[in-house]
C-alpha cells in the first residue's frame, strides 16, 4: 500500500475540521504522527482536533495524555510557533484546571448535603425512639391520650358557650364542663407537670433520653454549620463558573447543574436500599468523603441509639397482657357485619328523609351538630372505651356521639332562636340523630374494633 503524502493528509484533515468532524480529523492527524513522526503538524492537529480548537473540555487523565503530544509538538516547532502553541495550550490548561476546581467544589457541596441528610436521618431515628418511649408512663401504661384532651376542651367549650347564651342546658353543661376542666388539668399534669419517683432502671431510661436529646442538639448545630458551608461553596461555585469558557458548558452540564441535593438523596437511597456497591461508587465519584468512615459513623450512631431501643423493649411485656385480652374479647362474627349493614341502610334512608323534610331542623344548628358527630365518632378511642364485644363498642361510641351531637345542636339552636323546648331538644333531636348516625357509628366502630383486635394479635 502506497504511503500517503503529508500534503494529502493535511488537506483531508482540514476538510474534516471545516466540517467540524473532529473525530475523523483526529484519526487523520493520528495517522500523520505515525507516518511523519518528525513533523509538528500531526501533533498540533491531534491537540486541536481532540480539543475542538480548545473549545472542548477534557478530563484530567485525558489532559495528561494530551500533554505528552504537546511536548512532542513543542519540541518540533520553531521559536515563534512554540510561543503560540505554548500560550494556547497553557490557556487551555488553565480552563481545564478551573473545571477540575469546580468538580472539587461540587463534591464538597454534595458531601455537605449528604452529611445533612445523614444527620437528619439520625435525628429522625432518635426522635422515633424517644417518641416511642414517651408513650409510656412509669407504670408502663400509655400517658393520658390526646383524645381525652380534645374531649375535655369540647366539654369546657360547651360550658363557656352556654354561659354566654344561658338556658336550662346549664344543668348538663356545668357538671360536664367541670369534668372537662379536670380532664384538661389531668392531661397537662400527667404530661408536663407530674414528678414521680423512678426505679433504678428507669433512671437509666431517662438518662438515655437526655443523652439522645443532647445528641440531637449537636447534630442540629452541625447541620446549621453545614448549611453555612454550602452557602459559601455555592458562591465559590458561581465565581468559578465565570472563569470557565462558555464553550465548555456542553461538556460539563453534570458539573454545572445545581443538582447537589438530588445526588445526595440518590446516595442516601442507595444506602437505605442496602446497595453498598452503588453507595460506595457514588461516594467515591460524587463526594470527597470516605464510604468506610461514613459507614463506621452510622454504625456508631446505631450503637448509641440501641441502648435506648433496648429499654423500649418493655413493650414486649405488654404483649403478654394483649394476648390475654385477645382471649377475652369477642371476635367479629357474620351477624355483626349484617347488623352493621342494616343500621347503615337505616341511617342512609333517615338522612334522605331529613333532607327532604329539612324544615324539621334548624339548618345551621344541624350542620354544626353533624360535623361534631362525625368528629366524635372518628376520635372515639376503642382502647379506653368499652371493647369486650363489637356491640359494646358500638353502644358506647353511639352514646358519646349522640350526646355530643345533641348538646351542640341544642346550644346553637338556643343561641339562634333564644329558646329550645325540652321535648324538641332532649327527646326529638336525639332520636333524629340516632337514626342518622347509627349506621355511620356502626361502620366506624366495626373498623375500629377490628383494628383493635389486629393490634392485640401483634
Amino acid at each position: 500500500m502506497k504511503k500517503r503524502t503529508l500534503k494529502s493528509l493535511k488537506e483531508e484533515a482540514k476538510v474534516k475540521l471545516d466540517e467540524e468532524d473532529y473525530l475523523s480529523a483526529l484519526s487523520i492527524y493520528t495517522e500523520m504522527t505515525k507516518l511523519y513522526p518528525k513533523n509538528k503538524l500531526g501533533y498540533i492537529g491531534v491537540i486541536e482536533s481532540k480539543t475542538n480548537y480548545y473549545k472542548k473540555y477534557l478530563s484530567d487523565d485525558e489532559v495528561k495524555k494530551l500533554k505528552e503530544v504537546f511536548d512532542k509538538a513543542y519540541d518540533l516547532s520553531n521559536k515563534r510557533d512554540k510561543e503560540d502553541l505554548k500560550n494556547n495550550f497553557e490557556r487551555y490548561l488553565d480552563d481545564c484546571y478551573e473545571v477540575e476546581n469546580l468538580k472539587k467544589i461540587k463534591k464538597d457541596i454534595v458531601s455537605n448535603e449528604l452529611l445533612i441528610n445523614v444527620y437528619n436521618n439520625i435525628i429522625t431515628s432518635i426522635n422515633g425512639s424517644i417518641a416511642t418511649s414517651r408513650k409510656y408512663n412509669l407504670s408502663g401504661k400509655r400517658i393520658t391520650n390526646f383524645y381525652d384532651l380534645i374531649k375535655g376542651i369540647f366539654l369546657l367549650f360547651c360550658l363557656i358557650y352556654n354561659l354566654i347564651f344561658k338556658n336550662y342546658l346549664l344543668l348538663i353543661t356545668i357538671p360536664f364542663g367541670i369534668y372537662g376542666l379536670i380532664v384538661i388539668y389531668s392531661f397537662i399534669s400527667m404530661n408536663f407537670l407530674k414528678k414521680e419517683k423512678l426505679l433504678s432502671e428507669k433512671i437509666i431510661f431517662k438518662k438515655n433520653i437526655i443523652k439522645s436529646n443532647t445528641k440531637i442538639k449537636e447534630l442540629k448545630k452541625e447541620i446549621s454549620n453545614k448549611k453555612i458551608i454550602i452557602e459559601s461553596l455555592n458562591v465559590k461555585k458561581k465565581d468559578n463558573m465565570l472563569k470557565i469558557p462558555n464553550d465548555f458548558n456542553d461538556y460539563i452540564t453534570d458539573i454545572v447543574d445545581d443538582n447537589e441535593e438530588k445526588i445526595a438523596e440518590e446516595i442516601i437511597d442507595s444506602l437505605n436500599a442496602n446497595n453498598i456497591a452503588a453507595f460506595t461508587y457514588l461516594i467515591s465519584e460524587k463526594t470527597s468523603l470516605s464510604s468506610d468512615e461514613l459507614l463506621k459513623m452510622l454504625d456508631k450512631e446505631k450503637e448509641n441509639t440501641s441502648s435506648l431501643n433496648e429499654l423500649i423493649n418493655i413493650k414486649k411485656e405488654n404483649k403478654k397482657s394483649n394476648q390475654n385480652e385477645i382471649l377475652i374479647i369477642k371476635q367479629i362474627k357474620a351477624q355483626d357485619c349484617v347488623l352493621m349493614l342494616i343500621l347503615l341502610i337505616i341511617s342512609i334512608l333517615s338522612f334522605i328523609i331529613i333532607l327532604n323534610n329539612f324544615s324539621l331542623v334548624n339548618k345551621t344548628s344541624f350542620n354544626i351538630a353533624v360535623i361534631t358527630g362525625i368528629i366524635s365518632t372518628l376520635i372515639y378511642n376503642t382502647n379506653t372505651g368499652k371493647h369486650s364485644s363489637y356491640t359494646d363498642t358500638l353502644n358506647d361510641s353511639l352514646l358519646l356521639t349522640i350526646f355530643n351531637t345533641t348538646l351542640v345542636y341544642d346550644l346553637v339552636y338556643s343561641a339562634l332562636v333564644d329558646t329550645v323546648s325540652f321535648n324538641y331538644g332532649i327527646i326529638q333531636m336525639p332520636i333524629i340523630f340516632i337514626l342518622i348516625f347509627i349506621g355511620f357509628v356502626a361502620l366506624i366502630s366495626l373498623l375500629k374494633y377490628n383494628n383493635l383486635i389486629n393490634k392485640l394479635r401483634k
Side-chain angles (χ1 to χ4, degrees):
M1 184 176 177
K2 187 177 178 181
K3 182 180 178 180
R4 298 181 65 183
T5 64
L6 180 63
K7 182 180 179 181
S8 65
L9 289 170
K10 182 180 176 182
E11 289 175 352
E12 186 178 350
K14 187 178 183 306
V15 171
K16 295 299 182 183
L17 288 174
D18 291 340
E19 294 174 352
E20 297 186 356
D21 186 358
Y22 297 108
L23 191 61
S24 297
L26 176 61
S27 177
I28 296 169
Y29 281 122
T30 302
E31 183 182 354
M32 193 183 297
T33 59
K34 293 177 182 179
L35 295 176
Y36 302 96
K38 299 298 182 181
N39 193 290
K40 66 179 181 180
L41 294 177
Y43 300 106
I44 294 173
V46 168
I47 295 171
E48 291 179 343
S49 57
K50 206 164 189 178
T51 62
N52 294 8
Y53 282 122
Y54 303 105
K55 294 178 181 179
K56 178 183 178 182
Y57 164 73
L58 297 177
S59 67
D60 198 34
D61 291 337
E62 290 176 305
V63 169
K64 287 178 182 177
K65 294 178 182 177
L66 194 63
K67 198 171 185 307
E68 296 175 4
V69 179
F70 165 78
D71 290 338
K72 292 179 181 178
Y74 187 80
D75 292 338
L76 294 172
S77 299
N78 56 40
K79 186 176 180 181
R80 182 179 175 182
D81 290 342
K82 279 183 179 181
E83 187 175 350
D84 291 339
L85 182 62
K86 183 179 179 182
N87 289 337
N88 289 334
F89 194 73
E90 286 185 348
R91 192 182 303 113
Y92 178 75
L93 290 179
D94 289 340
D95 293 337
C96 288
Y97 170 78
E98 294 299 338
V99 175
E100 293 302 319
N101 193 33
L102 181 61
K103 279 184 181 179
K104 184 179 181 304
I105 294 171
K106 189 178 185 71
K107 282 188 175 184
D108 289 340
I109 296 174
V110 173
S111 299
N112 283 281
E113 291 285 2
L114 176 61
L115 288 173
I116 288 176
N117 278 327
V118 169
Y119 294 156
N120 278 325
N121 283 353
I122 294 172
I123 289 173
T124 301
S125 176
I126 295 174
N127 278 330
S129 297
I130 293 175
T132 302
S133 68
R134 285 179 173 168
K135 289 179 180 178
Y136 298 88
N137 64 12
L138 299 175
S139 62
K141 297 177 183 177
R142 290 185 183 276
I143 62 173
T144 304
N145 198 288
F146 185 70
Y147 293 143
D148 291 340
L149 177 64
I150 297 175
K151 181 170 64 177
I153 293 172
F154 168 75
L155 294 173
L156 182 60
F157 174 79
C158 288
L159 172 58
I160 295 171
Y161 188 89
N162 202 186
L163 288 172
I164 298 172
F165 303 98
K166 295 182 179 67
N167 54 55
Y168 68 87
L169 291 172
L170 282 169
L171 294 173
I172 298 174
T173 57
I174 287 176
F176 279 100
I178 294 172
Y179 170 71
L181 191 61
I182 294 171
V183 170
I184 294 170
Y185 174 77
S186 176
F187 179 87
I188 295 172
S189 176
M190 179 63 73
N191 291 297
F192 305 108
L193 304 177
K194 198 170 184 180
K195 304 291 183 182
E196 297 183 83
K197 292 182 179 180
L198 299 173
L199 299 175
S200 58
E201 59 208 31
K202 292 179 180 179
I203 293 174
I204 298 172
F205 189 77
K206 185 176 180 180
K207 285 181 178 178
N208 273 279
I209 291 179
I210 293 172
K211 183 180 177 182
S212 297
N213 284 326
T214 302
K215 183 63 179 178
I216 288 174
K217 288 179 181 178
E218 292 174 356
L219 290 173
K220 286 183 176 179
K221 187 177 180 180
E222 281 297 314
I223 289 172
S224 296
N225 292 335
K226 295 299 178 187
K227 287 181 178 179
I228 293 171
I229 293 172
I230 289 171
E231 287 179 9
S232 175
L233 288 171
N234 278 325
V235 172
K236 195 174 178 181
K237 177 183 175 183
K238 290 178 181 177
D239 292 340
N240 185 266
M241 287 170 60
L242 296 174
K243 301 175 183 178
I244 299 173
N246 292 331
D247 295 322
F248 277 18
N249 289 342
D250 292 338
Y251 306 97
I252 58 172
T253 52
D254 59 322
I255 305 172
V256 176
D257 286 347
D258 296 323
N259 59 348
E260 291 85 3
E261 285 187 36
K262 184 178 179 181
I263 295 172
E265 288 173 2
E266 288 177 2
I267 298 173
I268 286 293
D269 289 342
S270 67
L271 179 62
N272 292 336
N274 205 27
N275 190 344
I276 302 300
F279 172 75
T280 304
Y281 170 78
L282 289 170
I283 288 289
S284 174
E285 293 296 317
K286 303 294 184 179
T287 75
S288 53
L289 301 172
S290 164
S291 59
D292 289 338
E293 290 180 4
L294 195 58
L295 288 172
K296 284 179 183 177
M297 183 187 75
L298 291 170
D299 288 339
K300 185 178 178 181
E301 293 304 329
K302 286 180 181 178
E303 290 175 6
N304 291 337
T305 56
S306 65
S307 57
L308 183 61
N309 291 331
E310 287 172 7
L311 291 170
I312 294 172
N313 285 336
I314 192 173
K315 292 172 66 177
K316 291 182 178 179
E317 295 178 8
N318 295 332
K319 189 173 182 180
K320 294 180 180 179
S321 62
N322 289 344
Q323 290 172 342
N324 293 332
E325 190 171 0
I326 196 68
L327 295 174
I328 298 172
I329 67 173
K330 296 179 180 178
Q331 303 297 307
I332 296 175
K333 299 178 180 179
Q335 54 261 38
D336 293 327
C337 296
V338 173
L339 174 64
M340 183 273 294
L341 289 173
I342 293 171
L343 296 178
L344 193 60
I345 292 171
I346 292 172
S347 285
I348 293 172
L349 293 175
S350 299
F351 193 73
I352 293 172
I353 292 170
I354 290 296
L355 289 178
N356 291 331
N357 298 273
F358 215 55
S359 59
L360 296 174
V361 296
N362 178 272
K363 186 176 181 181
T364 302
S365 303
F366 182 78
N367 290 337
I368 296 174
V370 167
I371 293 172
T372 302
I374 292 172
I375 295 173
S376 296
T377 305
L378 293 176
I379 69 172
Y380 176 78
N381 192 344
T382 316
N383 292 311
T384 56
K386 294 181 179 179
H387 56 259
S388 59
S389 67
Y390 166 63
T391 52
D392 281 347
T393 299
L394 168 59
N395 293 334
D396 196 36
S397 180
L398 182 63
L399 180 63
L400 179 64
T401 299
I402 300 308
F403 174 81
N404 292 341
T405 307
T406 304
L407 182 60
V408 168
Y409 181 89
D410 290 347
L411 288 173
V412 177
Y413 183 85
S414 177
L416 294 174
V417 184
D418 292 333
T419 183
V420 56
S421 65
F422 182 85
N423 289 337
Y424 180 72
I426 306 301
I427 299 175
Q428 182 179 336
M429 290 312 302
I431 293 173
I432 290 175
F433 285 129
I434 288 173
L435 292 172
I436 291 175
F437 276 101
I438 192 168
F440 175 69
V441 174
L443 174 61
I444 300 301
S445 296
L446 185 68
L447 296 174
K448 283 179 173 285
Y449 190 76
N450 183 63
N451 184 56
L452 174 65
I453 292 174
N454 290 334
K455 283 183 178 180
L456 292 175
R457 284 172 176 168
K458 290 181 180 179

